Amino acid sequence: LVSSLLRHEKQTRSWEARHIFGALSMLALTWWSIAVHDKGSWPVLLGANLLINVYPIMLQRYNRIRLRSLLARLRGRHSEGTA
């Protein structure tokens, strides 16, 4: 169980990194939209970026906090059983 949770915790970091890259790419696209089209569709791009990238980043961080807490409790329980 612990090794599975550790693998999942590592995977959440990978997913977060992908969303960070996506968020930065979308910010560049938003900047381009403003620079080239003056007004353009930047509010739509910004809103999409928040939903598609920023929300999952925050969700992965929240889940990782909960995973670490669970792992700490499991490890504590395991060490109590061996003492």
Side-chain angles (χ1 to χ4, degrees):
L1 177 66
V2 172
S3 64
S4 173
L5 290 172
L6 286 171
R7 271 194 312 273
H8 185 68
E9 193 268 342
K10 183 178 180 182
Q11 187 66 42
T12 63
R13 283 186 263 129
S14 172
W15 293 328
E16 181 182 343
R18 291 175 189 180
H19 280 286
I20 289 172
F21 177 76
L24 293 174
S25 299
M26 286 288 287
L27 282 176
L29 185 63
T30 302
W31 176 82
W32 175 82
S33 175
I34 292 169
V36 172
H37 300 292
D38 200 21
K39 293 180 183 174
S41 58
W42 70 267
V44 173
L45 292 171
L46 193 60
N49 196 16
L50 286 171
L51 289 174
I52 294 169
N53 291 308
V54 176
Y55 173 73
I57 289 169
M58 301 313 293
L59 185 61
Q60 293 304 329
R61 291 181 179 187
Y62 172 75
N63 286 338
R64 222 173 14 256
I65 290 168
R66 294 187 68 203
L67 271 171
R68 288 178 182 159
S69 172
L70 177 60
L71 284 167
R73 282 185 282 151
L74 287 173
R75 286 178 178 152
R77 197 176 295 160
H78 176 68
S79 65
E80 287 175 4
T82 58

